[in-house]
Amino acid sequence: DAGVIQSPRHEVTEMGQEVTLRCKPISGHNSLFWYRQTMMRGLELLIYFNNNVPIDDSGMPEDRFSAKMPNASFSTLKIQPSEPRDSAVYFCASSSSGSMWTDTQYFGPGTRLTVL
Amino acid sequence: RKEVEQDPGPFNVPEGATVAFNCTYSNSASQSFFWYRQDCRKEPKLLMSVYSSGNEDGRFTAQLNRASQYISLLIRDSKLSDSATYLCVVKNAGKSTFGDGTTLTVKP
C-alpha cells in the first residue's frame, strides 16, 4: 500500500509568491493533519480535518495560510503571499479514526519549502 | 510553558548502553501517549504507544505516570541504528502535540 503522498518534495520560491502543497492520505484514512517543522519551533500542528471537515485550525499562523480538503483523497495547504519565515518542512499525516484517542498518525515524506 | 517538554539532549552513548528519555506534559486531560522516531531529514514514524500499565517492545520499554504527568522511554542494549531523534507525543481528543524531541547518537 502506498503511504501518504506529498508533492512537491522540494519547493524554492521567492517572497510574495503563492505556494501550494499537496497531500494524498492513505486510502481509508479519514483524518488528515498538516504540520510544520523548523529547528526553532519543532513540529507544530497547523490544522487537522476529520471526514474532510476542518476540526481545529488554531495552529494556522495567519491569514496567509489556508487549507482545503475537497474530498477524502486530497488536501492542499496554500501560502499566499509567502515570506522567508515560512521556510520549513511541511508534513502531512493521516490516520484512521477507529479511535480518536489512540489512532496512529502516518506521516508523508514532507515538503521542504524555502522562501527566498 | 510548553505543553510537552523533553530534554533535547543530545545523548551520546556507546553501543550496548541503556538510555532513558523522559517527557512531561501539562494537560492532565491528555488521553493517549506515543513515542515517535525521526531520522535525519525524514518523517516521524511511530515507535510505540504508551499504555497506562507500561509496555515493552523488544529492547524498548515505555512507561506512563499520570500522577506526575510524565512518560518515559527506555532503550536497552542500544544499537548504532537507534541513532535518531525521539519525539514524545501527547494526544487530547483528535489533537496531537509533539515534543521537540531528544536526539540520541549511539557510537561504536
Side-chain angles (χ1 to χ4, degrees):
Chain A
D1 267 349
V4 176
I5 298 172
Q6 291 187 247
S7 65
R9 294 291 305 277
H10 301 273
E11 175 89 27
V12 180
T13 191
E14 292 187 346
M15 186 173 73
Q17 297 297 306
E18 177 179 297
V19 174
T20 299
L21 311 181
R22 297 173 176 80
C23 176
K24 177 178 167 57
I26 292 172
S27 177
H29 283 190
N30 57 356
S31 292
L32 184 140
F33 308 80
W34 282 102
Y35 291 88
R36 175 173 70 175
Q37 188 174 38
T38 61
M39 288 291 292
M40 291 297 294
R41 301 172 69 91
L43 196 63
E44 304 173 278
L45 176 67
L46 300 177
I47 184 171
Y48 78 92
F49 296 84
N50 194 46
N51 292 323
N52 312 339
V53 176
I55 302 300
D56 184 345
D57 66 354
S58 59
M60 296 286 263
E62 48 199 275
D63 292 345
R64 297 185 298 106
F65 285 69
S66 62
K68 293 182 180 179
M69 191 165 186
N71 57 61
S73 58
F74 184 65
S75 177
T76 59
L77 178 67
K78 187 175 291 187
I79 308 172
Q80 166 64 16
S82 57
E83 296 183 3
R85 61 193 167 119
D86 301 331
S87 298
V89 180
Y90 290 81
F91 288 107
C92 175
S94 70
S95 68
S96 59
S97 296
S99 164
M100 216 174 162
W101 307 97
T102 61
D103 55 289
T104 301
Q105 292 182 38
Y106 295 86
F107 282 74
T111 295
R112 189 169 296 274
L113 173 65
T114 303
V115 182
L116 302 174
Chain B
R1 182 188 171 193
K2 288 188 174 182
E3 282 190 57
V4 180
E5 298 209 51
Q6 295 183 248
D7 181 345
F11 284 64
N12 297 308
V13 303
E15 266 187 296
T18 295
V19 61
F21 308 137
N22 287 330
C23 167
T24 59
Y25 60 95
S26 60
N27 186 349
S28 59
S30 298
Q31 295 291 330
S32 46
F33 310 87
F34 307 87
W35 284 101
Y36 276 69
R37 170 191 169 131
Q38 186 173 23
D39 293 297
C40 188
R41 301 179 77 84
K42 297 285 190 180
E43 71 273 22
K45 292 183 179 178
L46 178 70
L47 178 65
M48 59 197 302
S49 302
V50 187
Y51 303 128
S52 295
S53 55
N55 49 300
E56 190 173 306
D57 183 2
R59 298 181 294 106
F60 298 83
T61 301
Q63 298 272 351
L64 167 65
N65 185 320
R66 285 191 183 270
S68 302
Q69 294 181 204
Y70 80 82
I71 68 174
S72 63
L73 177 68
L74 181 77
I75 306 175
R76 290 181 301 278
D77 188 23
S78 53
K79 312 291 185 190
L80 296 176
S81 57
D82 294 334
S83 298
T85 296
Y86 291 83
L87 303 166
C88 167
V89 183
V90 174
K91 191 166 184 178
N92 187 17
K95 183 175 177 178
S96 295
T97 303
F98 283 72
D100 289 341
T102 298
T103 300
L104 171 67
T105 302
V106 181
K107 298 185 175 180

